[in-house]
Amino acid sequence: MRKVSFRLFLWALFSVIVFGQTHVVEEIVAIVNDEIITLSQYKQHYESMVQMLRAQYQGSEYFEQLEEMKKQLLDMIINDMLLLQIARENQINVSEQVKLYVENIIKENHLESEAELRRELARQGIDYNDFIRQIEENLLKQAVIASEVDRTIVLEEAEIVNYYRDHPNEFTEPEEITLKAIFLSAEAHSEEECEAKKKEIEEKLASGEKFEEVAALLSDPPLNENKGDLGTFKKGELESTLQAAADKLKPGEVSPWIKGKNGWYLLRLEERRQSRLKDFEEARREIEEKIFMEKRQKKLAEFIKNMRDKSYIRILKPNPLG
């Protein structure tokens, strides 16, 4: 078990005298081997997580996620610190990966240079050095996990085959249909106007005019703009009344008029692709990834527990924000 150095421990608990002046040490949340987590560091992580949650969740779901994050955050910070300590002990160098990562950011955001990236980050209130440090630390943590966890995972051919055999529903593609439609908006037309337009549309189709041309001429937006292309849908994605009508059609057939939620539809089935089970080779990569991630989650939890068990961890403020 690692022990925190006595000098650091004293420094963490008391004031120190530097050049004749007393400097009060900032409040400490936890000690992790020979490093400390300060309250300001904790608050910095907390604010970053709050911003991330606000971007992803709203209302009651946001507050639920916030409470869950509060319970886990200190453990997350400790685990990250331990991973970085291992990276330093193993002398892992990710400078080239950092360089490539930054180059990709510049390219993907259509920036001209690193200087422009610096200016853009400054406009967003982000310090460039902090930005690079965060990238480096993330890559170091990933490198440790890849070395200590990922490389230990072995996938057996038998378990891949068995998973495919035992979970056919996961590899069954649902039926898909491609539809064209003519649409008459109930808001844009009175009932009498709808009936008159229906009749006009039916007459044009009966005379041999192409469905696409009639849709472009007489359908209401947005289907007039794309010549009636309604799209491709999996079973259950369509409004139930439209789905029921489409189920009765063969490719090339046109339905009767259907009353939908926002108007009237005339459907034509372009294509029906039946539900099918992917063959084993099609599904193999998906199965391998799924089994790998299941094993990785378990082994990562074991690795983190072992890492913590071998380390000196002292939590001084279990609830840093009170």
Side-chain angles (χ1 to χ4, degrees):
M1 179 183 293
R2 297 174 186 165
K3 299 293 183 181
V4 67
S5 69
F6 183 68
R7 181 180 297 176
L8 177 62
F9 190 70
L10 289 178
W11 180 88
L13 293 179
F14 305 104
S15 300
V16 294
I17 306 300
V18 181
F19 299 117
Q21 296 182 354
T22 301
H23 296 270
V24 178
V25 176
E26 185 183 357
E27 191 168 7
I28 294 172
V29 171
I31 302 170
V32 184
N33 293 319
D34 57 355
E35 293 185 272
I36 61 172
I37 299 170
T38 65
L39 184 59
S40 64
Q41 288 172 327
Y42 180 90
K43 287 179 178 179
Q44 192 174 31
H45 281 87
Y46 177 83
E47 290 302 325
S48 296
M49 292 297 292
V50 166
Q51 291 178 22
M52 184 184 74
L53 292 178
R54 281 176 177 160
Q56 295 182 30
Y57 304 100
Q58 293 181 342
S60 60
E61 190 176 9
Y62 163 75
F63 290 104
E64 289 172 7
Q65 293 293 330
L66 181 63
E67 288 305 311
E68 192 63 28
M69 180 270 284
K70 287 179 182 178
K71 296 175 186 176
Q72 299 179 12
L73 183 57
L74 183 54
D75 274 341
M76 291 168 56
I77 297 171
I78 290 170
N79 292 343
D80 284 350
M81 183 170 281
L82 289 171
L83 288 170
L84 291 173
Q85 289 174 359
I86 292 173
R88 288 195 294 271
E89 288 173 5
N90 294 342
Q91 297 183 334
I92 297 174
N93 189 316
V94 293
S95 57
E96 284 302 312
Q97 292 95 311
V98 171
K99 181 180 177 182
L100 289 173
Y101 194 97
V102 172
E103 288 175 356
N104 285 334
I105 290 175
I106 292 170
K107 182 178 179 181
E108 290 170 5
N109 289 276
H110 309 290
L111 303 175
E112 294 296 326
S113 62
E114 183 180 319
E116 188 175 357
L117 174 60
R118 286 174 178 268
R119 289 193 294 271
E120 183 59 36
L121 290 171
R123 277 194 290 270
Q124 297 178 36
I126 301 172
D127 180 80
Y128 182 79
N129 291 328
D130 288 343
F131 176 73
I132 295 298
R133 178 183 54 78
Q134 189 63 56
I135 292 173
E136 181 180 22
E137 289 183 355
N138 286 338
L139 289 172
L140 285 169
K141 288 181 288 185
Q142 291 172 23
V144 171
I145 292 171
S147 174
E148 302 295 331
V149 177
D150 293 352
R151 70 178 180 83
T152 69
I153 298 173
V154 177
L155 301 183
E156 301 290 346
E157 182 69 10
E159 63 185 336
I160 299 170
V161 173
N162 290 339
Y163 192 95
Y164 174 77
R165 183 192 62 207
D166 296 340
H167 302 84
N169 290 342
E170 292 185 23
F171 311 108
T172 299
E173 294 179 338
E175 178 184 271
E176 285 188 341
I177 54 174
T178 301
L179 296 167
K180 288 188 182 294
I182 296 173
F183 170 63
L184 299 178
S185 169
E187 292 185 3
H189 308 288
S190 66
E191 189 173 340
E192 293 78 12
E193 289 172 336
C194 278
E195 291 303 317
K197 289 201 76 172
K198 285 183 194 177
K199 185 176 181 181
E200 182 182 2
I201 290 166
E202 289 169 354
E203 289 174 351
K204 286 184 177 294
L205 292 175
S207 69
E209 290 195 37
K210 292 182 178 180
F211 193 93
E212 296 86 348
E213 294 174 355
V214 177
L217 181 65
L218 296 174
S219 181
D220 286 331
L223 292 179
N224 61 331
E225 299 166 1
N226 53 12
K227 296 185 177 181
D229 285 332
L230 188 60
T232 298
F233 304 89
K234 292 180 172 64
K235 190 79 170 179
E237 290 182 342
L238 271 173
E239 183 183 334
S240 59
T241 52
L242 301 182
Q243 182 72 60
D247 287 344
K248 300 175 183 177
L249 299 176
K250 296 178 181 178
E253 289 184 342
V254 177
S255 72
W257 285 99
I258 308 152
K259 183 66 164 67
K261 292 179 181 178
N262 53 354
W264 291 89
Y265 290 85
L266 198 64
L267 301 179
R268 188 177 82 178
L269 181 65
E270 297 298 301
E271 183 182 3
R272 185 186 302 279
R273 289 184 288 282
Q274 298 295 336
S275 173
R276 76 177 189 93
L277 176 66
K278 295 179 182 178
D279 64 43
F280 176 70
E281 288 305 322
E282 283 182 280
R284 174 188 283 276
R285 186 172 182 82
E286 185 179 346
I287 297 169
E288 290 175 344
E289 289 178 356
K290 186 174 185 67
I291 295 175
F292 178 87
M293 292 308 297
E294 288 176 354
K295 290 188 173 186
R296 186 179 198 259
Q297 185 175 6
K298 182 179 178 180
K299 283 183 173 287
L300 180 58
E302 292 171 354
F303 171 71
I304 289 173
K305 182 181 183 304
N306 185 54
M307 178 177 66
R308 292 176 71 109
D309 288 345
K310 292 180 178 178
S311 300
Y312 177 90
I313 299 172
R314 184 178 178 188
I315 297 174
L316 305 179
K317 289 183 68 67
N319 185 12
L321 300 181

